[in-house]
Amino acid sequence: MRKQIAAANWKMNLTYQQGAELLKTILSADISLNENQIALFAVPFPYLELANDTVHQKKNYYAAAQNCSDKKSGAYTGEISAEMLKSLDVPYCLVGHSERREYFGETNEILSGKVAICLTYGLTPVFCCGEALKIRDQNAQNSFVEQQLRESLFHLSAEQILNVVIAYEPIWAIGTGKTASTAQAQEMHAFIRSVLQKQFGKEVAGQISILYGGSVKANNAKELFACPDVDGGLVGGASLVASDFMEIIRALK
Ligand code: PEP
């Protein structure tokens, strides 16, 4: 059975002290995850060691980076490599969040390099995809997302793609309070799985976790996660409030 994942994305929020307090509160809650369930915390780079040390107390809780370089190493001031993350024992890394695509010029091609280098160093990339409102208004979301998958993931082998998590995040739903309906989420997730199936086969596609992101809240997570092809969520705003994110973890199938 594929993994069900609640992933927090703190983005560029919280001081070190606030982050430490938030993690402590969430981890001290009486929520035990089963074999199949995972909670991730994608924290700012300087907090990764703290997050890693804190989550190690509990089963299936992990730290994640929010980004990494597509380059191996060298004269790239300000960048963080996959190898550096691995040397800190960070197991997961977000790749291609829409904010990275929009504000930092990350293209499908650059992201294919980021996915590859994560896998080379044994990190699990959480590959983000999703369309802007303009694309949905033209009803072109399927071909748009298919192209993102094709250009960033189709160079992988079936064995490699099994180590990738996908997060579908319609841009019009991120940080807007406007959540995709369960029908919209399920329809796109089933479509993504069908695209993966064509490329990698049914058995492989059936094992890949596809998270939904875009205004997941404590009061809508259960309904969204109940969709057959939705395997949890990538959560921004609500992951900054301990009680909300705890409720979202509890909503995992
Ligand atoms: C995100 O940052 O990936 C996200 C989905 O944000 P929010 O939950 O705030 O919409």
Side-chain angles (χ1 to χ4, degrees), residues 62-136:
Y62 298 102
Q66 296 177 11
N67 179 36
C68 70
S69 173
D70 59 329
K71 309 287 191 298
K72 186 180 177 312
S73 62
Y76 301 103
T77 303
E79 287 291 89
I80 305 284
S81 72
E83 188 177 22
M84 291 172 186
L85 296 173
K86 191 59 192 177
S87 71
L88 285 174
D89 275 334
V90 174
Y92 288 85
C93 182
L94 305 188
V95 170
H97 190 282
S98 63
E99 289 149 16
R100 302 287 324 166
R101 292 174 186 264
E102 185 177 349
Y103 306 133
F104 301 96
E106 296 193 356
T107 61
N108 291 343
E109 193 190 343
I110 290 171
L111 297 174
S112 92
K114 292 195 178 198
V115 168
I117 204 151
C118 280
L119 293 172
T120 299
Y121 287 101
L123 291 160
T124 300
V126 178
F127 176 77
C128 305
C129 57
E131 80 288 352
L133 187 58
K134 200 167 123 221
I135 305 279
R136 184 156 282 260

Side-chain angles (χ1 to χ4, degrees), residues 7 9-11 94 97-99 128 167 169-170 173-178 212-217 234-239:
N9 177 13
W10 290 3
K11 312 191 187 192
L94 305 188
H97 190 282
S98 63
E99 289 149 16
C128 305
E169 299 205 299
I174 297 178
T176 59
K178 198 172 161 189
Y212 167 79
S215 299
V216 173
K217 305 287 177 207
L234 178 55
V235 186
S239 74

Side-chain angles (χ1 to χ4, degrees), residues 5-108:
I5 303 172
N9 177 13
W10 290 3
K11 312 191 187 192
M12 197 174 73
N13 291 302
L14 307 176
T15 62
Y16 184 85
Q17 290 75 14
Q18 290 167 333
E21 193 57 39
L22 178 59
L23 277 175
K24 199 172 108 195
T25 309
I26 294 171
L27 285 152
S28 61
D30 187 20
I31 311 173
S32 41
L33 301 175
N34 68 31
E35 277 311 315
N36 239 20
Q37 298 171 326
I38 289 176
L40 287 185
F41 297 87
V43 303
F45 288 128
Y47 310 168
L48 277 168
E49 241 185 320
L50 164 81
N52 237 357
D53 288 349
T54 312
V55 297
H56 272 150
Q57 311 156 11
K58 285 184 86 161
K59 195 177 116 199
N60 288 358
Y61 285 76
Y62 298 102
Q66 296 177 11
N67 179 36
C68 70
S69 173
D70 59 329
K71 309 287 191 298
K72 186 180 177 312
S73 62
Y76 301 103
T77 303
E79 287 291 89
I80 305 284
S81 72
E83 188 177 22
M84 291 172 186
L85 296 173
K86 191 59 192 177
S87 71
L88 285 174
D89 275 334
V90 174
Y92 288 85
C93 182
L94 305 188
V95 170
H97 190 282
S98 63
E99 289 149 16
R100 302 287 324 166
R101 292 174 186 264
E102 185 177 349
Y103 306 133
F104 301 96
E106 296 193 356
T107 61
N108 291 343

Side-chain angles (χ1 to χ4, degrees), residues 2 189-197 205-206 208 210 229 231:
R2 55 184 178 256
H189 283 230
F191 173 73
I192 291 172
R193 209 176 294 291
S194 76
V195 170
L196 296 171
Q197 182 173 327
I208 298 172
I210 308 175
D229 285 291
D231 306 310

